[in-house]
Amino acid sequence: MIRAHTVEQVRSAEHALIRTLPDGTLMQRAATGLAHAVADYLGSVYGRTAVLLVGAGDNGGDALYAGAQLARRGAAVEAWLLSERAHRGGVEALRTAGGRVTVATSSPPPVRRRPDVVVDGIVGIGGRPGLRPAAVAALDALAGVPVVAVDVPSGVDVDTGEVDGPHVRADLTVTFGTHKVAHLVDPAAGAVGALHLVDIGLDPHLEPAAVTALRPEDVAALLPRPRSDAHKYTRGVVGVRAGSATYPGAARLSVAGASCGLAGMVRYVGPDEAAAAVRADHPEVVGPGRVQAWVVGSGSDAGAETALREAVADDVPVLVDADALAAVEVVAGRGAVLTPHAGELARMLDEDRAAIEARGLHHARRAAARWQAVVLLKGRHTLVAAPDGRVAVTTTGTPWLATAGAGDVLGGVIGALLAAGLDPFDAAALGSWVHGGAATLARRDGPIVAGDVARALPATLATVMGQSGP
């Protein structure tokens, strides 16, 4: 599992580790890892050129010591000092190795030769969002050159994933010891580029993660598997109340997600027009009866609140999507899974959509606490927030997944996992990962529609389950 920590957690772990090490060891470990990562990114070192953008923090020191190592291997390295408080030992190490040092606190020096790479050591992990004018000017002077960020792209909020003002957009981010929240949470995560983690020995000292993300092996361990004596009822029955005469396709897609094979049976309850379409697609789907979980709301139109109240009366876990989210108070405190996109969550919280997108982590946690439910906020990196503050981030998927009906399929998958016995948080995080994985598999080399994602679910599940044996 990917575990992301806050600045306070990282600093506490660093201080605990530093007490056991000779002075400067931690920075040298980080600098060596950074130098190797830059070398790997460039493909070669001798004769290559690098500009280091150096601020006052330890990230600037990491960049300077890494630059010294690159210079000793034959690279032409120049440091632009954006602060008068740049790390003195790092500056001296770079000069000793043959690198150039230029003060750029007021304006950047002329660019004599376009460098091969820029190393962003402007702001440390404790820096505030945004960049000072000197840093912005330096980045503008080097526009178009690939950027390797030290720890996080400078200018983003490390603990929230928020951005406020100018910030670095990296091609590669090299981080140390552990992932940080901004590596996973948008919009900051969109500025990270490829991410490389350098082990500097923090693990034994780190507290529980603030944010997590599943890896394939975690998914394989969580996915429900039938016992040798299983039958369709012991594997779980998921009910779907979705679709309407106006939107029968939503019913078909919700049922397609629920019919991924993770539950033993799927029941459909809805208007005759939608029911006929569902059964034409899925002859194994049956009608009303007892269920272990409900999926409610996709394309339900005016009947959404009634469908939700009828589902809640069964006292089983409920996934609430789309039209049913307008009646969210019906499930408050019942441990439901809510699956809004940013626009829907904005209406639920009486906020602007832009505010939700700018502060997704904050608002997902806020909604989870308000309704005492698991909130899955759909997006490029979907967030799954629990009422107790836990957050899982989905890193699978593709931009092609932004297509009509994809959320209907997602709701069905999560509903099947709820019916199979997973708790709401795990079901939402796992279902979102599988849904994104299926979209990636379905995409191959071109666009997809929601039905493609549903059809790719069995192959995705079989691939992941195969990684952990029968």
Side-chain angles (χ1 to χ4, degrees), residues 11-39:
R11 284 180 168 167
S12 176
E14 287 177 344
H15 291 157
L17 181 58
I18 285 170
R19 288 195 293 268
T20 70
L21 298 172
D23 288 347
T25 300
L26 207 59
M27 181 170 285
Q28 290 303 322
R29 287 180 181 178
T32 298
L34 175 61
H36 282 298
V38 173

Side-chain angles (χ1 to χ4, degrees), residues 2-60:
I2 298 173
R3 293 175 169 83
H5 293 82
T6 64
V7 172
E8 181 179 356
Q9 289 174 321
V10 172
R11 284 180 168 167
S12 176
E14 287 177 344
H15 291 157
L17 181 58
I18 285 170
R19 288 195 293 268
T20 70
L21 298 172
D23 288 347
T25 300
L26 207 59
M27 181 170 285
Q28 290 303 322
R29 287 180 181 178
T32 298
L34 175 61
H36 282 298
V38 173
D40 287 345
Y41 181 78
L42 291 173
S44 62
V45 175
Y46 188 83
R48 308 303 288 270
T49 57
V51 171
L52 318 177
L53 301 182
V54 179
D58 285 346
N59 285 8

Side-chain angles (χ1 to χ4, degrees), residues 16-411:
L17 181 58
I18 285 170
R19 288 195 293 268
T20 70
L21 298 172
D23 288 347
T25 300
L26 207 59
M27 181 170 285
Q28 290 303 322
R29 287 180 181 178
T32 298
L34 175 61
H36 282 298
V38 173
D40 287 345
Y41 181 78
L42 291 173
S44 62
V45 175
Y46 188 83
R48 308 303 288 270
T49 57
V51 171
L52 318 177
L53 301 182
V54 179
D58 285 346
N59 285 8
D62 296 337
L64 287 163
Y65 280 117
Q69 294 187 33
L70 295 171
R72 287 195 293 269
R73 294 174 60 182
V77 181
E78 181 177 3
W80 293 6
L81 305 186
L82 303 175
S83 169
E84 296 176 355
R85 295 182 290 113
H87 194 282
R88 291 183 180 179
V91 169
E92 183 59 30
L94 180 61
R95 283 182 169 143
T96 300
R100 292 166 52 89
V101 177
T102 302
V103 176
T105 52
S106 58
S107 62
V111 180
R112 301 178 181 85
R113 173 185 170 189
R114 175 185 165 92
D116 296 302
V117 69
V118 171
V119 177
D120 160 31
I122 301 170
V123 180
I125 59 173
R128 295 180 179 179
L131 294 173
R132 293 181 177 178
V136 174
L139 290 165
D140 287 345
L142 297 164
V145 179
V147 176
V148 176
V150 181
D151 227 354
V152 291
S154 291
V156 306
D157 190 302
V158 179
D159 284 349
T160 67
E162 297 169 17
V163 298
D164 183 13
H167 60 277
V168 169
R169 297 193 66 87
D171 297 275
L172 169 67
T173 296
V174 181
T175 195
F176 312 111
T178 182
H179 295 83
K180 283 72 179 177
V181 175
H183 295 146
L184 300 179
V185 175
D186 282 334
V192 168
L195 184 61
H196 177 70
L197 177 64
V198 175
D199 181 8
I200 57 172
L202 293 187
D203 277 354
H205 306 280
L206 285 168
E207 300 178 24
V211 172
T212 61
L214 296 174
R215 294 183 186 271
E217 57 268 26
D218 307 311
V219 174
L222 282 170
L223 281 171
R225 290 169 169 78
R227 299 182 323 196
S228 60
D229 61 347
H231 53 77
K232 60 189 176 186
Y233 296 111
T234 61
R235 293 189 58 211
V237 180
V238 56
V240 177
R241 293 177 180 267
S244 60
T246 306
Y247 303 110
R252 297 170 66 185
L253 291 168
S254 294
V255 169
S259 298
C260 60
L262 292 171
M265 180 186 288
V266 180
R267 297 185 182 277
Y268 177 73
V269 178
D272 292 342
E273 299 91 338
V278 164
R279 294 190 180 105
D281 289 347
H282 301 280
E284 72 278 7
V285 172
V286 298
R290 292 185 62 184
V291 300
Q292 279 73 56
W294 279 108
V295 176
V296 183
S298 297
S300 295
D301 208 9
E305 183 172 347
T306 299
L308 184 58
R309 291 186 181 278
E310 291 174 350
V312 167
D314 284 343
D315 197 25
V316 296
V318 180
L319 180 136
V320 186
D321 187 32
D323 298 318
L325 290 168
V328 65
E329 298 296 342
V330 172
V331 295
R334 292 178 174 269
V337 177
L338 316 178
T339 59
H341 55 60
E344 290 165 335
L345 188 58
R347 290 191 291 273
M348 292 164 66
L349 294 174
D350 194 24
E351 293 277 359
D352 292 331
R353 178 173 185 143
I356 301 296
E357 292 173 336
R359 305 186 68 198
L361 181 61
H362 167 78
H363 289 297
R365 280 179 165 152
R366 174 187 167 197
R370 174 171 174 176
W371 287 293
Q372 288 297 292
V374 170
V375 173
L376 183 151
L377 176 57
K378 300 169 187 173
R380 188 188 76 97
H381 278 190
T382 289
L383 301 176
V384 178
D388 62 8
R390 287 176 297 155
V391 175
V393 182
T394 303
T395 57
T396 58
T398 164
W400 293 111
L401 191 50
T403 185
D408 305 343
V409 176
L410 172 62

